[in-house]
Amino acid sequence: MRYVQIDTQSDPQSGTHPSSEKQKQLSELLATELRSIGIEDAHADEFGYVYATIPSNSDKNIPVICFCSHVDTATDCSGTNVKPLLHKDYNGEDIVLPDDATQIISIKDYPYLKQHIGHSIITASGHTLLGADDKAGVAIIMDLANYLVGHPEIKHGTAKLLFTPDEEIGEGTAKLNLQKLAADYAYTLDGGECGTLEDETFSADAVMITIHGVSAHPGYAKNKLVNALKIAAEILAALPKETLAPESTEKREGFIHPVRMEGLAEKASIEFIIRDFKTAALAKYEAQLKSIAVTVLSKYPTAYFDFEVQEQYRNMKEVLEKHPQVLTHASEAYKRAGLNAVNEPIRGGTDGSRLSFMGLPCPNLFTGMQAIHSKQEWIGVKDMEKAVEMLTHLLQVWAE
Ligand SMILES: [Zn+2]
């Protein structure tokens, strides 16, 4: 509840690292708190990353495990002056947030709340998001560190703690120093429902179609002018709607999604994001998109288009499959904590998908966070406690 009161919203426009200086306030606080419990090397660097080491207390040669969460909050909703509210012994009734009575958290909208009746939950007050995404992960890792320091009877290898800025704007690993981190495997604490174990993300490309029309004075444009805006509109109109669109797909289905269009009569561009769990499907969707553009442009022989594909990230499963112990050890830790691991694909990306392809295999573990990026964001305290318990098991499974 202290951490969420520090405004750490990232800023996609700034172009700096960290994208907003204020994130460092939390990073520095975390480093200071870690040092105060005896984790001597804890420090925040100039980019807002916190690195810390809990040394091994075992004679065995055990892989170095990193736990990671992000300090920034999403841009969808204000993160300024967050007032966290602790609802003890939640009674199952609707929670009307005090600063905005239209913000109501109810079991009807969030059936998962039912599992928290009789337990404590935390919400914001109605004006802001809560920031459980991902300060729940931060709190879990901090609590784990505190627990391990006080319980030397738990035998473990070297554990690295990592807090990153700018995850929400896709730059969480931009200035990460992997050599310095020196971990063999990692886990992000950035997932939802208790028991979920996220081991798959989308594979993702971006596509930019730039249409070059022919400009002419509109008063004298007959048989000359070719309007790039109208061609762009025809391309958009020709996209599949009942399939391959985010609004008509779920689960393991992929999509082609226009996210931005800009232009003038002379030249227009459309930006797409392309997503699927199978990397090979991206090329198929891109070919389909290109063929739409070719068909539309074939009616305008004096216009032409550029088609540019940019790789964004890849399904972490491709990496995790080569290191099956990362998931089997996690499943065993869930089991020892009394949970059944539910493997879930994420219809998006995580820092873990980038880390995995940077050479640090990294699935995503649960924290309990719900209704993220919204004013109704909430979290059950017992889920966070369970996550801490599960992590102590996880380190012991690796040690064994
Ligand atoms: Zn997150």
Side-chain angles (χ1 to χ4, degrees), residues 70 72 132-135 167-168 189-191 364 369 372-373:
H70 62 93
D72 65 317
D133 180 7
D134 185 21
K135 287 161 185 173
E167 190 270 354
E168 296 288 1
L189 273 293
D190 197 13
N364 188 30
M369 62 171 90
I372 57 172
H373 300 201

Side-chain angles (χ1 to χ4, degrees), residues 195-340:
T196 52
L197 171 50
E198 296 173 326
D199 58 350
E200 262 201 274
T201 55
F202 272 147
S203 281
D205 281 349
V207 170
M208 171 86 100
I209 298 181
T210 307
I211 300 132
H212 302 267
V214 180
S215 71
H217 184 295
Y220 307 92
K222 187 163 184 186
N223 299 327
K224 252 187 268 166
L225 177 81
V226 183
N227 193 324
L229 293 170
K230 291 183 179 172
I231 295 175
E234 278 187 58
I235 291 173
L236 289 181
L239 291 175
K241 295 179 189 70
E242 306 307 321
T243 60
L244 281 183
E247 59 270 35
S248 60
T249 51
E250 60 175 0
K251 297 188 175 130
R252 292 190 164 270
E253 298 164 327
F255 55 73
I256 299 170
H257 178 40
V259 289
R260 183 192 178 93
M261 166 157 98
E262 58 186 20
L264 301 163
E266 187 182 8
K267 183 179 165 187
S269 61
I270 318 172
E271 250 176 80
F272 297 86
I273 61 172
I274 314 286
R275 299 289 187 262
D276 200 274
F277 287 101
K278 290 197 196 75
T279 301
L282 299 181
K284 218 173 68 193
Y285 299 159
E286 284 149 17
Q288 192 173 346
L289 189 53
K290 197 171 201 170
S291 118
I292 290 172
V294 167
T295 307
V296 170
L297 269 286
S298 67
K299 294 181 277 180
Y300 308 97
T302 54
Y304 67 98
F305 72 99
D306 304 322
F307 191 92
E308 208 182 313
V309 179
Q310 208 178 18
E311 181 176 319
Q312 292 186 310
Y313 57 84
R314 291 292 177 256
N315 187 344
M316 60 162 76
K317 188 124 197 169
E318 294 170 15
V319 175
L320 292 175
E321 274 170 350
K322 295 180 194 139
H323 308 274
Q325 71 276 30
V326 178
L327 289 170
T328 53
H329 290 359
S331 296
E332 174 63 21
Y334 277 47
K335 204 165 101 194
R336 292 185 189 185
L339 302 168
N340 246 335

Side-chain angles (χ1 to χ4, degrees), residues 61-66 160 181-186 323 326 359-361 398:
N61 187 13
I62 302 164
V64 177
I65 303 301
C66 170
K160 295 280 181 173
L181 184 66
D184 296 310
Y185 304 102
H323 308 274
V326 178
L360 190 58
W398 276 102

